[in-house]
Amino acid sequence: VQLQASGGGLVQPGGSLRLSCAASGLTFADYAIAWFRQAPGKKREGISCIINGGTATYYADSVKGRFTISRDNAKNTGYLQMNNLNVEDTAVYYCAAARGPYGGRRICGLVTYSGSTDGMDYWGKGTLVTVSS
């Protein structure tokens, strides 16, 4: 199984980036997809999650209204559209996959309510997002 996050880079405050998470080696449509980030000196935190069918999405308060998670099961790819970025969004961003009851709803809730990293079955390598003027 492989998850590959991409799309990071340097962006100015107020700018946008779209991250992608390409999956292989698993039945993608069976898994919820979550995005996490880890800023320098801080612990990794969950910021967004989407259940396996894509009909329910979850966001941490820190990104709600600015980030949009989506997925294309036909392409085995998840996405995180990030708008109105600020310097506090600077971090390494990771995607992860989790298989759980009800499409992963409970796991998604834990990821975004408490920032939990528990329950993920697979992790991808991160992609660095730097927000700076």
Side-chain angles (χ1 to χ4, degrees):
V1 175
Q2 189 171 23
L3 298 176
Q4 182 62 57
S6 62
L10 174 64
V11 63
Q12 292 186 339
S16 299
L17 282 175
R18 188 195 195 201
L19 304 184
S20 297
C21 176
S24 61
L26 77 169
T27 303
F28 186 72
D30 287 348
Y31 290 81
I33 298 297
W35 287 93
F36 298 78
R37 66 184 181 187
Q38 188 165 16
K42 296 187 176 181
K43 68 176 184 178
R44 192 174 299 186
E45 62 170 350
I47 57 172
S48 188
C49 190
I50 185 168
I51 67 168
N52 61 350
T55 55
T57 57
Y58 301 74
Y59 300 93
D61 287 343
S62 58
V63 305
K64 197 174 294 182
R66 300 187 299 123
F67 291 10
T68 302
I69 192 171
S70 62
R71 63 190 296 158
D72 186 338
N73 285 350
K75 295 182 178 179
N76 289 354
T77 303
Y79 304 97
L80 186 67
Q81 176 67 43
M82 306 187 297
N83 297 331
N84 194 21
L85 286 160
N86 55 59
V87 293
E88 289 77 25
D89 295 316
T90 295
V92 178
Y93 284 71
Y94 300 86
C95 62
R99 190 169 182 172
Y102 307 108
R105 281 178 169 82
R106 181 176 181 274
I107 294 173
C108 280
L110 289 172
V111 165
T112 52
Y113 180 75
S114 66
S116 174
T117 58
D118 294 339
M120 296 296 116
D121 294 304
Y122 304 107
W123 287 88
K125 294 181 180 179
T127 184
L128 177 63
V129 172
T130 304
V131 185
S132 175
S133 56

